[in-house]
């Protein structure tokens, strides 16, 4: 149980990398990148977790009751926001690549070679 | 590189990753017993110091406010880059006619869809604004509430169709809203400097705990982030939807289109 969260994070990263390497479509590849990124959510939330603690929002329970680490939750929030913006940017790139090359299969793109 | 070559290269990389991950996992602190004093200190002190109840918002908008300003700038930069990439040769001249694939059946929207979308879009937008405004009190804040409010734009598109959607939302307005939010955040960080305080120092009266106005400068920063996120997501949706409209002749780079087809 103690190592489960860290194992899940490592497994998500590995699965995401496998997906990126074997991907045959750029949109699928972007999805795999977000899987890699979700490893960081699990890792950060796992680091901040505390047994028997509530949320770091002292509305219903008074300040001083045990709460999980708010800094880690703020970092995950930053992570998600930047991730969403980057996904949009990558999808825009994928659209332009499809307009220019007519395919989104990395196998057929060969970006370093001139257009036939 | 063929698929089998990729897998052959991946296998040793994953083995190395597995060994490294195992080393790190064994060295990690016990799960559920965080070592960081930072978070514990925030939990213990900040409710009294800033009169706010949401510690995540306090970390984002006060204690690490400058970091969040950087994050906000990243968001705005990424959105700008997306807009530039998507517009490409299209420019800003836009028709208000949805593109249609030849042969696709055209179905009229039912009244029930239109009604539900109108009700849900309004409710969702107000709920998003509510989540933004109570950011320092209850779970939520500028980023979360802004994303909720901006998703009501999709419901407007779903219920009203493309041309009405374009009548209601203007990309200039959304871009101005986004820029205004970013500007207010930057000013909230800079104006205290002009009066001899530290950047983004919380110089406003702190308000009362559990009240809508609690946290001083945090309230302004939180609202500014909410406004900026609504604008950013709106601009993104608008530009991606623009890809579906009917191209005007000479408006788009036809050469690329033909080659792509």
């Amino acid at each position: 149980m103690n190592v489960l969260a860290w194992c899940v994070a490592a497994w998500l990263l590995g699965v995401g990398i496998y997906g990126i390497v074997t991907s045959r479509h750029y949109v699928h590849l972007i999805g795999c990148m977000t899987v890699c990124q979700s490893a960081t959510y699990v890792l950060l939330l796992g680091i901040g977790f505390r047994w028997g603690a509530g949320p770091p929002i002292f509305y219903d329970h008074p300040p001083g009751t045990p709460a999980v680490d708010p800094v880690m939750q703020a970092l995950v929030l930053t992570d998600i926001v930047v991730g969403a913006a980057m996904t949009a940017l990558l999808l825009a790139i994928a659209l332009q690549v499809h307009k220019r090359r007519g395919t989104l299969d990395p196998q057929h793109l060969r970006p370093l070679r001139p257009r036939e | 590189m063929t698929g089998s070559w990729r897998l052959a290269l991946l296998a040793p990389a994953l083995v190395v990753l597995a060994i490294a991950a195992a080393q790190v996992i064994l060295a990690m602190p016990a799960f559920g017993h965080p070592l960081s004093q930072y978070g514990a200190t925030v939990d213990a002190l900040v409710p009294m110091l800033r009169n706010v109840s949401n510690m995540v918002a306090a970390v984002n908008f006060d204690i690490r406010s400058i970091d969040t300003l950087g994050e906000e700038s990243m968001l705005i930069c990424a959105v700008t880059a997306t807009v530039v990439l998507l517009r490409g040769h299209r420019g800003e001249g836009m028709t208000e006619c949805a593109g249609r694939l030849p042969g696709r059946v055209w179905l009229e929207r039912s009244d029930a869809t239109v009604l539900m979308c109108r009700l849900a879009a309004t409710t969702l937008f107000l709920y998003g604004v509510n989540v933004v405004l109570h950011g320092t009190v209850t779970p939520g804040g500028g980023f979360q509430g802004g994303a909720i409010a901006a998703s009501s734009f999709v419901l407007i598109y779903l219920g009203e169709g493309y041309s009405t959607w374009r009548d209601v939302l203007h990309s200039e307005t959304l871009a101005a809203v986004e820029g205004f939010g970013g500007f207010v955040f930057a000013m909230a960080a800079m104006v205290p400097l002009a009066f001899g305080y530290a950047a983004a120092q919380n110089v406003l009266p702190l308000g009362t705990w559990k009240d809508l106005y609690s946290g001083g400068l945090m309230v302004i920063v939180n609202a500014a982030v909410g406004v900026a996120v609504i604008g950013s997501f709106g601009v993104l949706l608008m530009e991606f939807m623009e890809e579906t409209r009917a191209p005007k002749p000479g408006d788009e780079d036809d050469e690329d289109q033909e080659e792509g087809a």
Side-chain angles (χ1 to χ4, degrees), chain A residues 51 56 58-59 96 107 115, chain B residues 1 31 53 85 209-210 259:
Chain A
W51 289 115
F58 302 109
Y59 191 82
Q96 288 298 347
Q107 200 74 38
R115 232 193 273 201
Chain B
M1 205 188 294
F31 183 71
S53 45
L85 270 172
W209 186 55
K210 282 193 184 185
E259 220 165 314

Side-chain angles (χ1 to χ4, degrees), chain B residues 35-94:
Chain B
L35 298 177
S36 155
Q37 288 302 306
Y38 189 0
T41 315
V42 168
D43 277 345
L45 295 181
V46 172
M48 282 58 171
L49 286 177
R50 293 285 186 265
N51 288 355
V52 293
S53 45
N54 184 348
M55 288 307 106
V56 181
V59 169
N60 263 331
F61 301 133
D62 190 314
I63 298 167
R64 297 179 353 108
S65 175
I66 297 296
D67 288 359
T68 311
L69 182 59
E71 176 199 352
E72 183 70 26
S73 319
M74 265 174 87
L75 177 68
I76 290 178
C77 287
V79 170
T80 312
T82 310
V83 170
V84 169
L85 270 172
L86 283 179
R87 277 195 187 155
H89 300 282
R90 194 173 71 213
E92 295 185 46
M94 295 162 182

Side-chain angles (χ1 to χ4, degrees), chain B residues 61-139:
Chain B
F61 301 133
D62 190 314
I63 298 167
R64 297 179 353 108
S65 175
I66 297 296
D67 288 359
T68 311
L69 182 59
E71 176 199 352
E72 183 70 26
S73 319
M74 265 174 87
L75 177 68
I76 290 178
C77 287
V79 170
T80 312
T82 310
V83 170
V84 169
L85 270 172
L86 283 179
R87 277 195 187 155
H89 300 282
R90 194 173 71 213
E92 295 185 46
M94 295 162 182
T95 56
E96 280 169 6
C97 173
R100 205 174 303 164
L101 285 179
R104 183 176 283 183
V105 192
W106 172 250
L107 291 172
E108 204 52 51
R109 276 177 187 75
S110 68
D111 288 345
T113 313
V114 176
L115 178 69
M116 277 316 293
C117 284
R118 282 183 188 176
L119 288 175
T122 338
T123 321
L124 196 64
F125 190 84
L126 287 177
Y127 176 64
V129 171
N130 180 49
V131 170
V132 171
L133 290 180
H134 288 87
T136 52
V137 187
T138 47

Side-chain angles (χ1 to χ4, degrees), chain B residues 179-233:
Chain B
F180 175 74
F183 176 76
V184 170
F185 195 161
M187 282 301 113
M190 274 192 247
V191 168
L193 281 177
F195 293 95
Y197 298 103
Q201 189 172 342
N202 204 335
V203 287
L204 294 180
L206 289 176
T208 37
W209 186 55
K210 282 193 184 185
D211 192 50
L212 188 61
Y213 182 79
S214 58
L217 193 64
M218 246 184 266
V219 175
I220 293 174
V221 172
N222 181 41
V225 166
V227 167
V229 170
I230 292 176
S232 310
F233 277 46

Side-chain angles (χ1 to χ4, degrees), chain B residues 87 92 94 166 169-178 235 238:
Chain B
R87 277 195 187 155
E92 295 185 46
M94 295 162 182
R166 287 303 317 279
L169 298 171
H170 303 281
S171 85
E172 294 87 359
T173 317
L174 289 171
V177 165
E178 178 192 8
V235 167
M238 174 74 76

Side-chain angles (χ1 to χ4, degrees), chain A residues 1-3 5-7 10 13-15 17-18 20-23 43 45-51 56-75 77-79 81-82 84-93 95-96 98-103 106-107 110 115-116, chain B residues 1-3 6-7 10 14 17 21 25-26 28-36 38-40 42-44 47-48 52-56 59-60 64 67-68 71 74-75 78-79 81-82 84-90 137-140 143-144 209-210 229 233 236 240 243 252-253 256-257 259-261:
Chain A
M1 189 56 212
N2 271 333
V3 295
W6 321 132
C7 290
L13 181 68
V15 167
I17 291 175
Y18 174 81
I20 288 175
V21 170
T22 58
S23 175
L43 182 68
L45 290 177
I47 290 174
F49 181 75
R50 182 194 296 266
W51 289 115
I57 290 157
F58 302 109
Y59 191 82
D60 288 334
H61 46 272
T65 42
V68 299
D69 193 333
V71 179
M72 289 306 154
Q73 301 211 345
L75 284 176
L77 182 60
T78 307
D79 199 352
V81 171
V82 173
M86 284 303 142
T87 308
L89 182 58
L90 289 171
L91 286 173
I93 293 175
L95 264 171
Q96 288 298 347
H98 188 263
K99 268 188 195 163
R100 283 170 193 282
R101 294 296 177 96
T103 175
Q107 200 74 38
R110 318 221 166 214
R115 232 193 273 201
E116 292 102 22
Chain B
M1 205 188 294
T2 59
R6 284 169 192 250
L7 282 178
L10 175 67
L14 280 186
L17 180 72
I25 285 169
L26 291 177
M28 284 296 275
F31 183 71
H33 302 280
L35 298 177
S36 155
Y38 189 0
V42 168
D43 277 345
M48 282 58 171
V52 293
S53 45
N54 184 348
M55 288 307 106
V56 181
V59 169
N60 263 331
R64 297 179 353 108
D67 288 359
T68 311
E71 176 199 352
M74 265 174 87
L75 177 68
V79 170
T82 310
V84 169
L85 270 172
L86 283 179
R87 277 195 187 155
H89 300 282
R90 194 173 71 213
V137 187
T138 47
F143 290 109
Q144 300 95 319
W209 186 55
K210 282 193 184 185
V229 170
F233 277 46
L236 279 185
F240 274 103
E243 292 290 313
E252 197 136 0
D253 200 349
D256 279 356
Q257 280 288 1
E259 220 165 314

